[in-house]
Amino acid sequence: MEIDLRFFATFREAVGEKERTRTVDDDATVGDVLTALESEYDGLEGRLLADGTIRPQLSVLKNGRNVVHMAGAETRLNAGDVVSVFPPVAGG
């Protein structure tokens, strides 16, 4: 099945594009996608997951809803879903 991925700020720089469509297995989870991204892009290695869970300072959304309010990294994906990945926000 196909899903859409959206990247923001430094993650967009690491991937080299704002959006991309990705084909994933029918039983794929958010964690599966993040693991694949860490393996595929040097700039993301170790920045998305820690011990199989999404790093607490990140915002990962599935169709606009933060996956921490779902099943976290174990959140199942469906065809046509949009997964957005935001790096930590700093400021003052």
Side-chain angles (χ1 to χ4, degrees):
M1 70 179 164
E2 287 190 345
I3 62 167
D4 290 324
L5 300 171
R6 294 185 181 156
F7 305 98
F8 296 86
T10 56
F11 292 159
R12 180 182 298 169
E13 293 170 17
V15 173
E17 56 192 343
K18 178 180 178 178
E19 293 183 36
R20 80 181 300 206
T21 299
R22 185 178 201 99
T23 301
V24 298
D25 293 336
D26 288 342
D27 61 348
T29 64
V30 169
D32 294 334
V33 171
L34 297 179
T35 298
L37 290 171
E38 281 190 332
S39 296
E40 189 173 336
Y41 298 100
D42 291 336
L44 296 181
E45 186 175 355
R47 295 181 62 195
L48 304 177
L49 298 168
D51 298 322
T53 61
I54 298 169
R55 290 194 171 275
Q57 68 273 24
L58 301 183
S59 293
V60 179
L61 310 181
K62 174 187 166 185
N63 301 325
R65 185 170 175 218
N66 198 318
V67 298
V68 298
H69 303 296
M70 299 176 180
E74 295 302 315
T75 300
R76 295 264 179 219
L77 296 171
N78 301 301
D81 280 346
V82 176
V83 176
S84 303
V85 184
F86 295 86
V89 177

